[in-house]
DNA sequence: TAGTAGCACTCTCTTTCAATGAGTGCCAAG
DNA sequence: CTTGGCACTCATTGAAAGAGAGTGCTACTA
């Protein structure tokens, strides 16, 4: 299927680029006037008819120009598109924006999401680091009231997570402090994933059953982890940008759009896909996501990492008609930058 | 201005109610057919002309029916409207929804916001409790890395707040633990506002300058408070409901609408107004808010409290055309319910 | 044989115009 | 003061006509 003649590729590229810019169907005359193709509109028409037969282009109606199909876009992105490099100026702007918020992880991620949306004029998304992969800095137990204990996990990257547990027994604060000191010693600097494993092992180990303090502390942590691991959060910023796209000037579509965003879990699952695969920017077009809600949206995403560990993902969500050649490098650069920021000194 | 004849009031009421239901301008014939008014449409027309002169009604164009103005709505709400009582059934539903999430404050507030939006088919908002008024349960210092210290505040209501401080000196975790134990003893059960006052006093007190531990701990807390007090958060849920209102079927207005929600600080300031005044449900109509962004939205809000202390506010945001007679009692009931849930056992 | 010019044809979009109908204001009579 | 009647206004709807953009096809050309 990669067997497209040189000219056909040029025509497809022209249609895609023009359509991305204008949002309108592109006619043969418009293309023949772009200098690079030195052929008449009639010739272009023939090529276009071929491309349509192959399913790469389509006509909204008989007497309209052509619009790239999803398949056409896919081909363009995979085989034709040349990503523009970001200008040094732009890189500097992005770096600048993320420089001063380094302190607090939550703020940093939210800001990253804003930067993505701002630079691409679409919605920016950032998925929190997977907790399993982050390292424990500190664990703390606080007695809120009888039978209610708050467990606070702080990771090295500065992420704070808290869970309120319902506990049968009423444990006083002094004892909870002991748990804390105890566990901090053992688990410090391990990833939460490792800790989870370890807890399971230790709980199986019969001899630990006799060390009441240790055994209770383990049980409590285990329970806390249970609720913690589910909560994978996502920042979405710049949804407003999407409204400005002419494809959403129809209220019904707009409603659809916001419905897609309302339930973040779907998008989270999609971004998780980016995570499981090797690193690098990934583009998911419309129906490729197999999610009804996203059928006319596409996602450009990339994981960010610390060292070799993939932590989370970030990206841009927008209509199918986006300037991929610009957004791909923006996402790529931002992911690399965030990865660098995730390297922990000390 | 309260001098409206009985009939004029009935006509105004009819126009408001009909317009709230249909969204369309209301004509004289429609009203005369509602049984309660036993007069002809011509008579109604005369009354309507009077009401229009008073600025309570207006015509979109000469040959259309009448629509209540903001002033008209205000009069209706203040002087004519009789709030329907909530049915026991509905009360039970609301209670049910908020019953099981009691544990975690953040979840409770978010859920409350969802309940409000769901029951009123508009957007629901809940403002976090003002930190100054909540009582400290626990304070904790964690060394993240050299010169970075995380301060965690837990309030009795189960609210967790954390701030990352940049600290000149590199203090080790053992010393930080001392600070924590020290301060927990002193400040436990005081409100954050009181604590703030106290810190200022103590720092002035010369003799404390010699107690290095105490003085450093105070300084750190003071700095933590500085950043904490600004962050007043707001939950907005059910924005999607608003799209369904016919007044927002126009894309431009919709854009306006979401712009209003993008910057939460404006809405927070508005809800703060509810807080400063005496308790009870308050309705702010369109331009009354003096915020450009909200000129065609109205807010129905009420504070919630613990005992006699106003903690935060909650409410419903929607178009001017809302069923106030139903929403007002919903907000009222929910606020009372949340207040009850905020009473702390123990 | 590939490319091109020309032309008839198709379909959307915009404009125009008239008809419809809901609703008003006002007047004269009850 | 209320009411029926009537002329008038203005948004809305639908049909008709015209413009414009673009295509597919055919016949011609290098």
């Amino acid at each position: 299927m990669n067997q497209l003649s040189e000219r056909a590729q040029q025509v497809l590229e022209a249609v895609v680029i023009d359509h991305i810019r204008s949002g309108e169907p592109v006619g043969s005359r418009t293309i023949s006037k772009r200098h690079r193709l030195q052929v008449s509109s009639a010739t272009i028409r023939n090529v276009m008819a071929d491309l349509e037969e192959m399913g790469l282009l389509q006509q909204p109606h008989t007497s309209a120009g052509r619009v790239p199909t999803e398949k056409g876009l896919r081909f363009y992105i995979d085989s034709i598109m040349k990503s523009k490099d970001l200008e040094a100026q732009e890189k500097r702007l992005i770096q600048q924006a993320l420089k001063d918020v380094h302190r607090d992880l939550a703020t940093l991620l939210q800001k990253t999401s804003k930067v993505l949306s701002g630079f691409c004029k679409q919605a920016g998304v950032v998925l929190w680091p997977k907790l399993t992969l982050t390292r424990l800095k500190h664990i703390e137990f606080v007695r809120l009231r009888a039978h209610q204990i708050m467990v606070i996990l702080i990771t090295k990257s500065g992420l704070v997570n808290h869970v309120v547990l319902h506990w049968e027994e009423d444990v006083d604060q002094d004892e909870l402090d002991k748990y804390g000191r105890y566990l901090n010693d053992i688990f410090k600097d391990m990833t939460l994933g490792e800790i989870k494993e370890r807890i399971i092992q230790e709980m199986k180990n019969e001899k630990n059953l006799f060390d009441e303090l240790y055994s209770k502390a383990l049980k409590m942590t285990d329970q806390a982890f249970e609720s913690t691991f589910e909560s994978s959060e996502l920042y979405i910023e710049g949804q407003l940008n999407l409204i400005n796209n002419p494809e959403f000037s129809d209220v019904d579509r707009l409603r659809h759009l916001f419905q897609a965003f309302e339930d973040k879990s779907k998008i989270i699952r999609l971004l998780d896909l980016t995570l499981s695969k090797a690193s690098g920017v990934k583009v998911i077009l419309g129906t490729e996501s197999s999610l009804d809600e996203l059928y006319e949206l596409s996602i450009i995403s990339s994981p960010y990492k610390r060292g070799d560990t993939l932590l989370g993902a970030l990206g841009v969500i927008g209509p199918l008609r986006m300037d991929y050649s610009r957004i791909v490098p923006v996402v790529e650069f931002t992911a690399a930058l965030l990865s660098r920021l995730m390297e922990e000194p000390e």
Side-chain angles (χ1 to χ4, degrees), chain A:
Chain A
M1 177 48 95
N2 220 331
Q3 326 304 26
L4 268 191
S5 73
E6 178 66 19
R7 171 177 296 159
Q9 295 203 18
Q10 285 176 338
V11 170
L12 178 57
E13 181 180 17
V15 172
V16 170
I17 291 178
D18 249 55
H19 177 253
I20 282 175
R21 213 192 21 216
S22 70
E24 302 288 303
V26 185
S28 55
R29 230 178 88 81
T30 322
I31 292 183
S32 85
K33 273 193 293 189
R34 306 174 122 281
H35 318 81
R36 286 196 297 156
L37 283 270
Q38 295 288 13
V39 287
S40 78
S41 66
T43 312
I44 306 272
R45 278 204 289 282
N46 290 328
V47 180
M48 279 170 126
D50 295 346
L51 288 170
E52 180 160 13
E53 207 172 332
M54 282 184 262
L56 301 175
L57 294 182
Q58 74 184 46
Q59 281 180 295
H61 55 264
T62 347
S63 69
R66 256 72 170 211
V67 165
T69 61
E70 215 173 277
K71 199 171 154 196
L73 274 178
R74 168 57 59 200
F75 188 93
Y76 164 76
I77 292 171
D78 290 343
S79 313
I80 305 179
M81 181 179 86
K82 288 164 274 306
S83 298
K84 305 168 197 153
D85 264 351
L86 285 190
E87 291 180 25
Q89 168 69 2
E90 289 181 302
K91 290 187 183 173
R92 227 174 305 129
L93 276 173
I94 297 179
Q95 276 169 326
Q96 208 63 38
L98 296 184
K99 200 170 143 198
D100 297 330
V101 284
H102 187 187
R103 302 188 165 187
D104 180 12
L105 184 66
T107 322
L108 173 63
L109 296 183
Q110 188 166 26
K111 183 75 190 186
T112 305
S113 175
K114 276 194 183 140
V115 165
L116 282 169
S117 84
F119 267 76
C120 304
K121 302 275 176 260
Q122 310 292 348
V125 292
V126 176
L127 187 66
W128 277 52
K130 288 289 143 187
L131 283 174
T132 19
L133 302 173
T134 53
R135 290 177 190 284
L136 184 72
K137 182 83 205 182
H138 190 89
I139 187 168
E140 180 82 23
F141 300 87
V142 178
R143 179 183 179 279
L144 289 182
R145 61 188 68 153
H147 309 298
Q148 274 200 6
I149 295 167
M150 173 175 285
V151 185
I152 300 177
L153 296 171
I154 303 174
T155 68
K156 271 185 97 171
S157 40
L159 208 153
V160 178
N161 230 293
H162 64 276
V163 189
V164 179
L165 294 185
H166 194 80
W167 200 251
E168 285 308 314
E169 199 181 338
D170 189 7
V171 191
D172 68 20
Q173 185 63 52
D174 281 344
E175 188 166 348
L176 290 177
D177 285 346
K178 270 187 218 152
Y179 293 1
R181 281 196 291 279
Y182 203 22
L183 295 174
N184 277 323
D185 278 347
I186 308 177
F187 292 142
K188 199 162 189 171
D189 289 342
M190 290 169 68
T191 69
L192 299 201
E194 288 162 3
I195 295 175
K196 203 175 180 182
E197 290 294 311
R198 177 76 168 271
I199 288 178
I200 294 172
Q201 279 176 21
E202 298 279 298
M203 293 205 311
K204 274 191 200 145
N205 194 332
E206 297 237 344
K207 77 164 192 266
N208 287 327
L209 293 177
F210 299 103
D211 185 342
E212 208 188 333
L213 178 81
Y214 186 41
S215 136
K216 247 192 244 167
L218 282 181
K219 222 168 137 194
M220 222 176 251
T221 316
D222 184 50
Q223 203 173 317
F225 272 32
E226 206 134 303
S227 355
T228 301
F229 280 113
E230 292 162 13
S231 70
S232 187
E233 268 203 78
L234 183 71
Y235 288 118
I236 304 183
E237 295 284 338
Q239 296 180 37
L240 214 61
N241 283 332
L242 296 183
I243 300 189
N244 292 323
N245 285 306
E247 22 268 280
F248 298 118
S249 58
D250 173 17
V251 180
D252 268 344
R253 292 207 166 161
L254 210 51
R255 195 197 333 267
H256 233 94
L257 174 68
F258 283 102
Q259 250 153 18
F261 284 126
E262 199 177 38
D263 176 10
K264 292 184 179 178
S265 67
K266 295 262 172 71
I267 298 175
I268 291 177
R269 227 171 310 140
L270 208 57
L271 285 174
D272 276 349
L273 287 182
T274 315
L275 271 180
S276 62
K277 301 280 172 140
S279 82
V281 179
K282 196 175 170 188
V283 180
I284 299 176
L285 296 173
T287 61
E288 292 175 359
S289 70
S290 341
L291 292 179
D292 289 353
E293 292 86 348
L294 299 179
Y295 80 105
E296 50 185 7
L297 293 175
S298 76
I299 301 191
I300 302 167
S301 64
S302 166
Y304 60 90
K305 46 194 179 176
R306 176 174 53 238
D308 288 332
T309 326
L310 302 185
L311 291 179
L314 53 78
V316 169
I317 299 186
L320 286 168
R321 184 180 73 80
M322 277 193 282
D323 186 354
Y324 297 93
S325 67
R326 182 188 139 77
I327 296 179
V328 167
V330 169
V331 169
E332 194 166 23
F333 178 77
T334 311
L337 179 60
L338 188 58
S339 298
R340 222 178 311 141
L341 292 175
M342 298 301 284
E343 301 293 340
E344 289 155 359
E346 177 192 25

